[in-house]
């Protein structure tokens, strides 16, 4: 379906619980940006659970995305791109709707971005939701949540998982307000990729999120959830980069950009601390959801297997060659040797290094490295989430993306985050520039992109994305390639290697190095 052309009309106004907001009509949709769902988490609200937004008088202009939360924008520094707005009103939502008609009762999709729990914001052009809203004739919401030390670091006297609590607050806002935008609060689907999928998995397990959504899509779920002990130890190391203790008293007076720098300073030191931080160390990501026993009582896999989300319809999957994005970004694509492959296999492979080598006898060292990294971090956590849902009496649909990114002669394969531009149709934004080489998408890519959106929006509307639910006998999944098929799960060798493996909270494993 093509996006309708611009329609000249009066700017749409919607009354929310906090006050009236004025959006814009763009490409046939009413679009509202930067609506606060919580107070700015600064001052005495810093490191606290989100607080309800203060109401306003008159009509608030909802034309621009809210400022992103403080985050690690990478080598360019902490300021981010020049068009990113400033300010501390980080906790905002954005809405795309075909019409803000309270009688419409359209399904609602709520996007949760990824970014290793240390970066990401809803104003990223990669998450322009107009094609999803238009093609699916539904309402799409995107949201900001705190990342990095603000949202996920263990800080004494502060609640754990503040970034997840922000997401819960945004979902409460959806329940209270989305009907005025034409959405049905009883037909909410949350969806997210990478750390966003980890967040979706966590929300499935969080008592505070119960009743706030009906369906969930988890794209490339990371298996990294921290134990309280590991989170506390890494939190201490983060604060030590600033010469401080990991307490609200010590950190509340530190400027947000300095906390970002603490994370940037610690990350490259992490791989040398495997003896203490185990599997978490090589990820160079000092943040993850914490199984704190309160907001997140157990891991998502434990929660789903016990039936905690049996009434939630679930779709989950991953990309075949997830890890190639990271080896490419490290300048090592196709260049991993025996020593590094053996180290990874010893650290991650269930059954040890010999099990993987026996299972993939013809694989090169580089291929073994890519296999085990993809399997432990994304592929098997995603598959096991579906299997846990089945064990708990629920239903799940599974997919795998095998279509290779066009850049680098296809060497990236179906790498991490390739599903994002395919889903949103945003081929010139963010990582898609790298994955597509900056070129216009081919007809094949556009056709696959349309299939992605059709499946996701059908699932949001009916709970059926267009292929059979996963079961423990046939293991049928949708394989997204140039010609999508339904087939037994393609990674059967890995599935068997990881059968029976439990994704537990990552522990603090040893004495200080």
């Amino acid at each position: 379906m093509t996006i309708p052309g611009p329609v000249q009309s009066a700017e749409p106004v919607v009354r929310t619980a906090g006050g009236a907001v004025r959006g814009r009509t763009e490409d046939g949709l009413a679009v509202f940006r930067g609506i606060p769902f919580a107070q700015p988490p600064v001052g005495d609200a810093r490191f606290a659970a989100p607080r309800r937004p203060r109401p306003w008088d008159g009509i608030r202009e909802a034309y621009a995305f809210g400022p992103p939360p403080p985050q690690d924008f990478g080598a360019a520094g902490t300021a981010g791109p020049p068009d990113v707005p400033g300010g501390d009103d980080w906790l905002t939502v954005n809405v795309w709707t075909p019409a803000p008609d309270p009688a419409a009762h359209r399904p609602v999709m709520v996007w949760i971005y990824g970014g290793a729990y240390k970066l990401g914001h809803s104003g990223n052009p990669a998450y322009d939701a107009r094609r999803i809203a238009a093609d699916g004739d539904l309402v799409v919401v995107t949201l900001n949540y705190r990342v990095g030390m603000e949202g996920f670091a263990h800080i004494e006297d502060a609640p754990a998982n503040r970034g997840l609590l922000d997401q819960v607050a945004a979902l409460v806002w959806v329940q209270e307000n989305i009907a005025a935008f034409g959405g049905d609060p009883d037909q909410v689907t949350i969806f997210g990729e990478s750390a966003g999928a980890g967040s979706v998995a966590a929300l499935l397990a969080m008592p505070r999120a119960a009743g706030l959504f009906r369906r969930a899509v988890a794209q490339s779920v990371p298996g990294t959830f921290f134990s309280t002990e590991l989170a506390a130890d890494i939190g201490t190391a983060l604060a030590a980069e600033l010469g401080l203790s990991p307490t609200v008293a010590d950190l509340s007076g530190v400027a947000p950009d300095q906390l970002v720098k603490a994370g940037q300073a610690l990350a490259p030191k992490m791989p040398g601390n495997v003896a203490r931080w185990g599997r978490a160390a090589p990820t160079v990501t000092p943040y993850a959801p914490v199984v704190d026993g309160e907001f997140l009582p157990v891991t998502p896999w434990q929660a789903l297997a016990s039936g905690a989300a049996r009434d939630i319809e679930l779709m989950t999957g991953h990309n075949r060659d997830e890890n190639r994005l990271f080896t490419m970004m490290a300048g090592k694509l196709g260049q991993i040797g025996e020593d590094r492959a053996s180290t990874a296999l010893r650290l991650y492979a269930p059954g040890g290094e010999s099990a993987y080598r026996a299972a993939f006898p013809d694989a090169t060292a580089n291929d073994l490295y890519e296999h085990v990294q993809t399997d432990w971090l994304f592929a098997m956590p995603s598959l096991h989430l579906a299997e846990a849902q089945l064990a708990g009496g629920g239903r799940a649909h599974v997919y795998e993306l095998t279509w290779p990114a066009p850049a680098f002669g296809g060497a990236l394969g179906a790498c991490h985050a390739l599903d994002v531009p395919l889903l949103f149709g945003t081929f010139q934004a963010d990582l898609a520039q790298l994955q597509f080489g900056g070129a216009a998408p081919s007809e094949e890519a556009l056709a696959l992109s349309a299939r992605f959106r059709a499946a996701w929006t059908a699932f949001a509307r009916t709970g059926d994305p267009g292929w059979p639910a996963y079961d423990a006998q046939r293991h049928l999944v949708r394989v997204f390639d140039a010609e999508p098929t339904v087939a037994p799960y393609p990674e059967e060798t890995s599935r068997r290697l990881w059968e029976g493996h439990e994704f537990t909270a990552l522990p603090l494993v040893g004495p200080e190095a």
Side-chain angles (χ1 to χ4, degrees), residues 173-248:
W173 183 94
V174 168
Q175 287 296 309
E176 294 176 350
N177 295 285
I178 207 63
F181 293 87
D184 183 351
D186 294 325
Q187 292 274 357
V188 173
T189 298
I190 58 173
F191 67 128
E193 181 268 344
S194 194
S199 297
V200 167
L203 291 167
L204 288 165
M206 290 178 68
R208 286 200 175 198
L212 297 180
F213 55 94
R214 180 173 177 177
R215 301 184 177 105
V217 183
Q219 305 168 214
S220 303
V221 181
T224 47
F225 282 69
F226 288 174
S227 66
T228 299
E229 295 77 17
L230 177 63
D233 203 63
I234 294 177
T236 298
L238 285 163
E241 292 291 339
L242 302 168
L244 300 172
S245 297
T247 63
V248 170

Side-chain angles (χ1 to χ4, degrees), residues 91-378:
L91 303 183
T92 59
V93 295
N94 320 292
V95 182
W96 285 257
T97 177
D101 177 5
H105 302 295
R106 287 181 169 88
V108 180
M109 297 187 74
V110 180
W111 172 251
I112 302 174
Y113 52 73
Y117 305 106
K118 65 181 180 181
L119 72 156
H121 61 103
S122 62
N124 187 323
Y127 309 139
D128 181 346
R130 64 191 180 99
R131 292 172 182 84
I132 299 175
D135 286 9
D137 189 33
L138 42 71
V139 179
V140 182
V141 178
T142 66
L143 60 94
N144 279 356
Y145 63 93
R146 282 173 285 182
V147 294
M149 287 190 73
E150 303 285 345
F152 287 95
H154 184 279
I155 299 174
E156 295 174 22
D157 304 318
N161 298 309
R162 297 174 297 279
L164 298 178
L165 295 178
D166 293 344
Q167 296 166 17
V168 170
L171 290 170
V172 169
W173 183 94
V174 168
Q175 287 296 309
E176 294 176 350
N177 295 285
I178 207 63
F181 293 87
D184 183 351
D186 294 325
Q187 292 274 357
V188 173
T189 298
I190 58 173
F191 67 128
E193 181 268 344
S194 194
S199 297
V200 167
L203 291 167
L204 288 165
M206 290 178 68
R208 286 200 175 198
L212 297 180
F213 55 94
R214 180 173 177 177
R215 301 184 177 105
V217 183
Q219 305 168 214
S220 303
V221 181
T224 47
F225 282 69
F226 288 174
S227 66
T228 299
E229 295 77 17
L230 177 63
D233 203 63
I234 294 177
T236 298
L238 285 163
E241 292 291 339
L242 302 168
L244 300 172
S245 297
T247 63
V248 170
D250 267 22
L251 297 176
S252 59
V254 178
D257 66 320
Q258 295 305 305
L259 296 190
V260 171
K261 290 177 181 177
Q264 290 173 323
L266 180 64
K269 302 174 184 177
M270 291 182 67
N273 216 358
V274 171
R276 187 167 182 82
W277 294 337
R279 291 179 171 186
T283 68
V284 301
T285 302
Y287 314 106
V290 181
V291 181
D292 66 319
E294 180 184 0
F295 300 120
L296 186 58
V298 295
T299 69
W301 300 274
Q302 290 173 294
L304 267 60
S306 70
R310 66 165 59 97
D311 296 328
I312 303 295
E313 292 168 315
L314 173 65
M315 184 166 82
T316 184
H318 64 88
N319 306 345
R320 181 185 59 199
D321 310 301
E322 297 271 7
N323 197 69
R324 289 193 198 176
L325 176 69
F326 306 114
T327 48
M328 186 282 302
M329 294 177 76
K332 299 291 185 182
L333 185 62
Q335 301 174 25
I336 303 298
E338 283 290 347
D339 287 349
R340 192 165 178 186
S342 289
T343 298
L345 289 166
R346 288 195 300 270
L347 186 60
Y348 299 122
E353 178 179 3
S354 60
Y356 255 74
R357 290 191 180 275
F360 300 101
D362 299 323
T364 65
N366 183 82
D367 290 344
L368 286 168
Y369 177 86
E370 296 288 14
H371 268 309
V372 75
Q373 291 278 13
T374 289
D375 284 348
W376 95 269
L377 187 53
F378 295 114

Side-chain angles (χ1 to χ4, degrees), residues 392-465:
R395 190 176 72 154
H397 291 81
V398 178
Y399 72 89
E400 182 178 9
L401 173 62
T402 58
W403 185 81
F408 304 100
L412 280 173
C415 67
H416 188 64
L418 180 59
D419 49 314
V420 174
L422 289 172
L423 176 57
F424 284 85
T426 48
F427 296 99
Q428 300 299 321
D430 200 44
L431 287 174
Q433 281 276 0
L434 182 148
Q435 295 161 336
F436 287 81
S442 65
E443 288 301 316
E444 184 176 278
L446 291 172
L448 182 56
S449 179
R451 291 187 186 104
F452 257 79
R453 281 193 297 283
W456 265 241
T457 57
F459 180 76
R461 188 173 294 281
T462 68
D464 182 357

